[in-house]
Amino acid sequence: MNSFEYVRPATIAEAVAAGAAPGAAFLAGGTNLLDLLKGDLMRPTRLVDVTRLAELGRIERLPGGGVRIGALVRNADLAHDQPFASDFPAVAEALLSGASAQVRNAATVGGNLLQRTRCVWFYDVASACNRRAPGTGCDARGGEGRGDAVLGWSEACIATHPSDFCVPLVALDAVVEIAGPAGRREVPLDLFHRLPGDAPERDSVLAPGELVVAVRLPPEAAAFAAHARYLKLRERTSFAFAVVSAAAALRMEAGGIVAARIALGGVAAKPWRARAAEDVLAGARPDGTVFRRAAEAALADARPSGPDATRIELARRIVARALALAAAGTPARVPALPASPFAPIPGAAAHV
Amino acid sequence: MSLSISLTVNGAARAVTLDDPRVTLLDLLRERLDLTGTKKGCDRGQCGACTVLLDGRRINACLTLALACDDADVVTIEGLADGDVLHPVQAAFLAHDALQCGFCTPGQIMSAVGLVAEGQAGDDPERVREGMSGNLCRCGAYDGITAAVLDAQRRIAEQGKARAA
């Protein structure tokens, strides 16, 4: 780990000014940043500790039913906030399916958005990686293909964004509030993370010094509360990143689907909103056939970066199954194994 | 900025001046404060051996910068027992044979104390296992650990009732 200057600003304005300097990085929960520093994957010369900015630590109900989540709210506190979990159950389930209890107690909302990829070649400093060291190439190409993107990737980079939390958020039209040297601005979460193109080293649209201050969910997002699930395929049942995951939320009336929200995780450099799949479901009766059609629409543009296309079919099945779970209704409480495919689907065969 | 911090460790106020900003809470405890009960396993947040309570919540001390703990309240395995009287979680780990080599045990116990305080698992073994998934045990003492956590939780609840009565 290279050494750094440590500063602890007392106001957002001070934080933005300190964070705008070349080589500066913001520190919040530190659960990803400390790991990156120890691996020499990031070498900031200044850490700007924003954890004392108390105004970023609040969960605020907005008039009309939306919610504003401060960037410093810890994952565990948000997931266990009862009014929040009731209105946005898929978000709570996604949070509780991520990492471990210790990490969720420290990790923050803003840090979750800004966590780096877990691509194993990004993590191995001996490997070529355009995201970590621009221009060096991509050793992930031609690799095992287990964690590679199947949507939105480029020749320069096939890494995926590892967040669970962001998947239901992007499905529910979350907006990111940002403070920066030029003042405040807002960006829809769907436009916050960048696809790699030829500049994979830039994960998000944030400019130097820009600080995520809050994430907002609109009032319409709560209308999906009765039929909202997150489903996450992992290599082990707990404390693992997604192989593929999906958030599915349905607004249902008289047994029919009025509106659908679908997003995928682990398939691209950003949480992937699947609007074409949502269009398939609007006005449909919920059944396995239409869920499968929606899943095929969600992955219509998918292509593997290597010879193995397994994860595209896995993603289709996870989307279809998440829809079946959502149609069956949100459980009264997040299941003992959050987002686990090992939980039975009420009233349906185990294999969709 | 000065590299001096003040924090409370196991109930005692400590003032520390660090010689390097890179020191983690784990290294502060082990190397500067001689509290070696907290173990360094992976040092990357994956094994849970370094679990301590920070302001009452279980966290990985290896992923926490010591400088960020200015004014914090830290409890480690050394701060659990009351003299010779073990904390109920410690006693339950002995009663249920919830360890073999013991290296992960301080982290397991601190994690279990945090889990009981969180109050989310209830008496469901599946929720306890899920809630303890941040603590690896390479000896595979998981059955005993789950039984110990459930038993300790019961004892702590009974103690709470007895005190309230």
Side-chain angles (χ1 to χ4, degrees):
Chain A
M1 193 191 308
N2 72 311
S3 197
F4 47 77
E5 176 196 11
Y6 172 85
V7 297
R8 194 190 294 149
T11 66
I12 292 175
E14 283 175 33
V16 166
F26 291 117
L27 170 71
T31 53
N32 188 208
L33 185 59
L34 266 284
D35 193 33
L36 293 163
L37 297 179
K38 289 180 184 193
D40 256 342
L41 304 164
M42 285 176 65
R43 301 172 62 83
T45 52
R46 171 189 284 179
L47 288 196
V48 182
D49 181 348
V50 295
T51 55
R52 308 303 162 106
L53 304 178
E55 62 192 288
L56 305 189
R58 291 192 284 267
I59 304 169
E60 298 165 74
R61 314 297 300 186
L62 299 174
V67 65
R68 182 175 186 270
I69 314 157
L72 283 178
V73 174
R74 311 282 170 168
N75 286 1
D77 291 337
L78 184 59
H80 293 307
D81 181 274
Q82 215 43 60
F84 178 83
S86 296
D87 279 354
F88 311 104
V91 181
E93 185 166 19
L95 282 167
L96 293 176
S97 77
S100 67
Q102 289 96 318
V103 171
R104 293 193 294 272
N105 276 341
T108 64
V109 163
N112 187 294
L113 267 58
L114 291 166
Q115 65 185 305
R116 309 296 311 268
T117 183
R118 261 66 177 193
C119 176
V120 295
W121 288 272
F122 173 83
Y123 260 79
D124 173 21
V125 289
S127 294
C129 173
N130 289 320
R131 188 173 290 267
R132 168 169 39 75
T136 56
C138 173
D139 279 349
R141 300 298 308 275
E144 293 175 350
R146 276 195 313 182
D148 302 346
V150 295
L151 285 159
W153 53 273
S154 72
E155 293 302 316
C157 182
I158 57 175
T160 57
H161 193 259
S163 171
D164 296 303
F165 179 47
C166 287
V167 179
L169 283 183
V170 81
L172 295 171
D173 291 316
V175 173
V176 185
E177 296 183 19
I178 299 163
R184 298 278 182 132
R185 66 175 177 134
E186 296 184 350
V187 176
L189 181 60
D190 198 19
L191 302 176
F192 180 80
H193 297 96
R194 291 182 67 262
L195 289 177
D198 54 8
E201 71 278 10
R202 289 186 54 211
D203 291 0
S204 77
V205 298
L206 288 185
E210 284 196 315
L211 177 70
V212 172
V213 293
V215 172
R216 229 172 44 232
L217 280 167
E220 306 80 56
F224 294 86
H227 296 276
R229 293 300 302 270
Y230 182 66
L231 187 62
K232 176 181 177 185
L233 186 64
R234 287 158 273 193
E235 290 184 341
R236 60 184 182 196
T237 306
S238 184
F239 201 6
F241 291 102
V243 174
V244 292
S245 70
L250 302 171
R251 197 150 59 74
M252 299 183 63
E253 279 172 23
I257 299 168
V258 178
R261 296 284 183 272
I262 303 170
L264 291 104
V267 296
K270 58 187 276 187
W272 193 269
R273 180 79 178 263
R275 288 192 172 80
E278 296 171 2
D279 293 343
V280 169
L281 292 168
R285 307 296 296 180
D287 64 36
T289 308
V290 76
F291 294 155
R292 178 69 197 184
R293 277 208 294 127
E296 283 169 6
L299 277 300
D301 296 330
R303 60 193 176 102
S305 62
D308 184 2
T310 313
R311 289 174 62 259
I312 295 174
E313 179 56 20
L314 286 175
R316 289 191 194 103
R317 293 184 188 195
I318 287 294
V319 168
R321 192 152 163 182
L323 285 164
L325 286 168
T330 305
R333 188 181 175 199
V334 174
L337 300 177
S340 173
F342 292 110
I345 303 173
H351 299 283
V352 179
Chain B
M1 179 158 186
S2 147
L3 301 185
S4 297
I5 55 170
S6 306
L7 67 171
T8 304
V9 181
N10 297 331
R14 307 293 294 252
V16 183
T17 300
L18 296 167
D19 52 3
D20 192 307
R22 292 170 289 186
V23 176
T24 61
L25 175 59
L26 175 59
D27 288 338
L28 171 68
L29 293 169
R30 289 182 56 83
E31 311 293 337
R32 270 77 170 175
L33 301 179
D34 295 325
L35 293 168
T36 53
T38 306
K39 300 304 181 201
K40 183 182 280 194
C42 69
D43 204 27
R44 302 295 280 267
Q46 296 173 7
C47 77
C50 67
T51 304
V52 299
L53 301 184
L54 180 68
D55 295 327
R57 301 152 62 99
R58 51 178 167 158
I59 53 100
N60 298 117
C62 73
L63 293 183
T64 307
L65 211 57
L67 284 170
C69 296
D70 198 12
D71 300 326
D73 181 63
V74 179
V75 177
T76 72
I77 190 73
E78 290 93 341
L80 275 194
D82 182 6
D84 288 337
V85 181
L86 294 180
H87 184 280
V89 174
Q90 292 174 306
F93 266 64
L94 284 179
H96 290 273
D97 211 10
L99 62 142
Q100 187 175 315
C101 83
F103 186 85
C104 73
T105 308
Q108 299 278 1
I109 288 175
M110 296 313 294
S111 189
V113 172
L115 176 143
V116 173
E118 287 158 17
Q120 296 291 336
D123 58 2
D124 181 351
E126 192 81 294
R127 288 186 189 271
V128 169
R129 283 192 289 270
E130 166 65 25
M132 293 293 291
S133 74
N135 293 83
L136 304 187
C137 171
R138 293 312 354 142
C139 303
Y142 294 111
D143 271 3
I145 291 169
T146 303
V149 174
L150 288 165
D151 189 19
Q153 187 165 255
R154 253 188 320 269
R155 289 193 216 186
I156 291 168
E158 281 162 16
Q159 280 180 2
K161 272 190 213 136
R163 261 193 230 109

